Amino acid sequence: MKLRDVPGPKAKAIIARDKEVITPAVGRVADFVMSHGKGAEVWDVDGNRYVDLIAGIAVNSTGHSHPKVVKAIQEQAEKFLHISADYYHEVWVRLAERLTSIAPFEEPAMVFLANSGAESVEAALKVAKHYTKRKFFIAFLSAFHGRTMGALAFTASKSHYRANYYPWMPGVIHVPYPDAYRPILISKPGEDYGETVVRYIEEQVLGKLVPPDEVAGIIVEPIQGEGGYVVPPDGFFPALRKLCDKYGILLIDDEVQAGMGRTGKWWAIEHWGVEPDIVCTAKGIASGIPMGGIIGRKHIMETWPPGAHGNTYGGNPIASVAALTTIDLIEQEYMQNAAEVGAYTLQALEKLAERHPNIGQVRGKGLMLGIDFVRDRETREYYPEFRDKVVDYAFRLGALMMGCGKSTLRLAPPLSITKDLMDEGLEILEEAIRLTERDLA
Ligand SMILES: *Cc1c(COP(=O)(O)O)cnc(C)c1O
């Protein structure tokens, strides 16, 4: 395996132009300048090929430019590109019907469509406030829910996301996420750490900070994404649902990263058999065309009166046909593939961990997989330099991957990835780990 001299000359030239006209606020993880992609492979402008193990952060669920998605977009583009959410059109309705049919709850559902994850979170917050007439929300430390001024109040994965933006939306209380690998609360005997967190919410937040009948909702990622691909213990969601039911608090499930089949089920929360009240979706929904939205229980969504929320592009026809085709492909093939290749990869990562002591834990479901690097397995001390070097070496060896949390590496490839390509990616990952071990020894 050869370390390539990247970025090449063409990439360098484009990066130099980029630096002149695009604000540095847009942070980049690697000097990858894309030319084109196919399935789970991408090429840069200098002709270098990469295995794509991140899929534009869990977005290109059907792989790059899937022919069926491209065809659906082309056919729709011939008819019309936009009409505005003030009128009706059929593909929007069809998509809404499709989304309500896969909602993770028994009750009938209704949807609101937007253009991004943050917008889907904003919609969830607004409908929850409107419906409950309550003012407060509970969110989790290390959560990521987006960067708009409402969603930002909930995002707590890195303080630099918030620097200089105060005041953000008031009334948001953060509690620890149930990270059993690095717990910060003390469990009672026999209690699962997820139950401990829920007990903390009830005793410390609802008991001391804010009366439960003033809390509109609890917003939670079923598996924390940006915060480190943290999977909650099995007791967490059932206990959280019980708490929400006890106090009439809405359970808002942010599936923007974990949803749309990525974990081998339509929604990650289904792994715990718990039904949320509102689901936020975006990233994987339309294979890369910007789209987001919420799917909520009908008795909540139907109380939202005309004009209470809205946008210009909601249900955009191009995004809608892309989403419909994406959903078909996920249902027919890729959700199953995500479960199979995901289980296969997790096993391979467990073996990898046996060979490399700086891997503290591997975790995840389906094709949402995290490798948590530590200085020392005993103390579980974070090792961000190690992770960063692995990402960098992997890039030079021919694979795109990305960090999350303090020292976790995330794998979130297209759901269509084959075992062969995954094997290639895993070989690159191991070589990147070896080179990093050598450097940091
Ligand atoms: C990415 C993400 C968001 C924000 O989505 P944008 O499209 O970037 O606004 C919200 N929630 C979760 C869980 C995410 O991963």
Side-chain angles (χ1 to χ4, degrees):
M1 223 177 279
K2 224 178 101 224
L3 278 175
R4 300 183 297 194
D5 192 12
V6 282
K10 288 183 181 156
K12 274 192 184 131
I14 292 171
I15 292 168
R17 284 165 56 204
D18 175 295
K19 300 287 175 218
E20 291 301 316
V21 290
I22 293 176
T23 170
V26 182
R28 267 51 174 265
V29 296
D31 288 338
F32 173 68
V33 181
M34 184 151 178
S35 155
H36 61 284
K38 189 171 189 310
E41 295 166 279
V42 291
W43 285 264
D44 73 10
V45 287
D46 294 290
N48 296 300
R49 172 186 165 275
Y50 299 78
V51 181
D52 183 4
L53 296 181
I54 188 64
I57 318 194
V59 169
N60 298 105
S61 43
T62 60
H64 291 274
S65 295
H66 191 291
K68 287 189 178 162
V69 177
V70 171
K71 184 158 172 277
I73 292 170
Q74 283 170 339
E75 284 175 5
Q76 178 57 43
E78 298 279 338
K79 295 179 197 155
F80 65 104
L81 299 173
H82 172 77
I83 177 61
S84 109
D86 304 275
Y87 302 95
Y88 300 89
H89 66 86
E90 199 266 338
V91 281
W92 181 4
V93 178
R94 209 181 329 145
L95 174 58
E97 288 167 349
R98 201 76 170 80
L99 288 170
T100 57
S101 77
I102 59 170
F105 42 79
E106 279 295 315
E107 190 187 322
M110 293 182 103
V111 309
F112 174 84
L113 293 180
N115 314 289
S116 67
E119 278 180 78
S120 79
V121 168
E122 297 287 336
L125 303 175
K126 286 177 81 173
V127 75
K129 274 198 167 187
H130 210 287
Y131 173 77
T132 62
K133 310 281 188 290
R134 298 177 178 188
K135 298 170 183 64
F136 291 91
F137 286 94
I138 294 170
F140 291 84
L141 293 168
S142 300
F144 189 85
H145 296 293
R147 300 154 182 273
T148 51
M149 291 303 275
L152 182 67
F154 294 77
T155 289
S157 52
K158 292 189 186 104
S159 61
H160 76 236
Y161 291 151
R162 290 174 164 235
N164 296 318
Y165 296 135
Y166 189 81
W168 39 77
M169 177 185 144
V172 184
I173 296 158
H174 283 88
V175 299
Y177 192 79
D179 178 356
Y181 185 59
R182 293 196 180 83
I184 57 174
L185 301 172
I186 296 167
S187 293
K188 286 183 175 170
E191 199 178 51
D192 149 311
Y193 188 62
E195 295 164 339
T196 306
V197 167
V198 175
R199 181 169 55 79
Y200 171 89
I201 296 172
E202 185 163 28
E203 291 176 1
Q204 302 299 321
V205 179
L206 304 180
K208 297 180 182 172
L209 267 176
V210 52
D213 64 0
E214 291 186 31
V215 177
I218 298 180
I219 181 162
V220 60
E221 292 163 274
I223 295 174
Q224 237 174 17
E226 171 74 14
Y229 277 29
V230 180
V231 183
D234 290 343
F236 176 62
F237 274 107
L240 193 66
R241 179 71 265 181
K242 239 170 95 185
L243 183 85
C244 287
D245 288 343
K246 186 170 169 188
Y247 298 111
I249 296 169
L250 298 180
L251 181 54
I252 303 168
D253 175 23
D254 182 349
E255 298 260 1
V256 168
Q257 192 155 166
M260 293 312 299
R262 173 150 299 278
T263 68
K265 295 187 186 287
W266 277 121
W267 312 105
I269 198 169
E270 294 176 83
H271 288 282
W272 295 283
V274 163
E275 300 192 349
D277 298 302
I278 299 167
V279 178
C280 300
T281 179
K283 292 194 168 89
I285 193 174
S287 294
I289 302 294
M291 171 167 267
I294 58 172
I295 309 165
R297 292 181 189 248
K298 192 165 189 172
H299 79 270
I300 298 167
M301 298 291 283
E302 71 185 0
T303 65
W304 220 8
H309 195 43
N311 55 25
T312 301
Y313 293 116
N316 171 271
I318 301 291
S320 292
V321 294
L324 279 163
T325 313
T326 300
I327 292 170
D328 283 346
L329 288 165
I330 292 173
E331 184 173 74
Q332 289 156 12
E333 281 182 69
Y334 297 149
M335 191 150 55
Q336 184 63 26
N337 190 64
E340 281 171 20
V341 179
Y344 168 80
T345 308
L346 185 59
Q347 254 188 356
L349 292 176
E350 277 158 4
K351 297 230 177 71
L352 191 75
E354 287 169 16
R355 297 191 288 272
H356 301 282
N358 290 107
I359 298 178
Q361 191 186 44
V362 296
R363 56 186 178 240
K365 292 196 183 288
L367 286 172
M368 184 170 188
L369 297 166
I371 303 148
D372 194 329
F373 291 104
V374 293
R375 260 175 222 286
D376 167 357
R377 279 189 182 162
E378 285 282 299
T379 62
R380 302 182 180 183
E381 192 188 334
Y382 295 109
Y383 204 172
E385 302 92 312
F386 197 101
R387 186 269 317 273
D388 293 348
K389 265 188 179 286
V390 172
V391 171
D392 193 46
Y393 272 127
F395 173 63
R396 291 168 61 194
L397 292 164
L400 298 185
M401 36 188 103
M402 217 184 258
C404 60
K406 276 205 179 131
S407 58
T408 299
L409 179 73
R410 62 179 135 181
L411 305 183
L415 307 184
S416 57
I417 193 168
T418 59
K419 273 188 189 158
D420 282 352
L421 264 184
M422 183 55 92
D423 280 337
E424 187 184 343
L426 288 169
E427 274 170 37
I428 291 174
L429 173 62
E430 181 152 25
E431 180 64 11
I433 291 173
R434 272 193 221 110
L435 292 169
T436 302
E437 286 168 344
R438 188 200 60 190
D439 283 4
L440 296 178

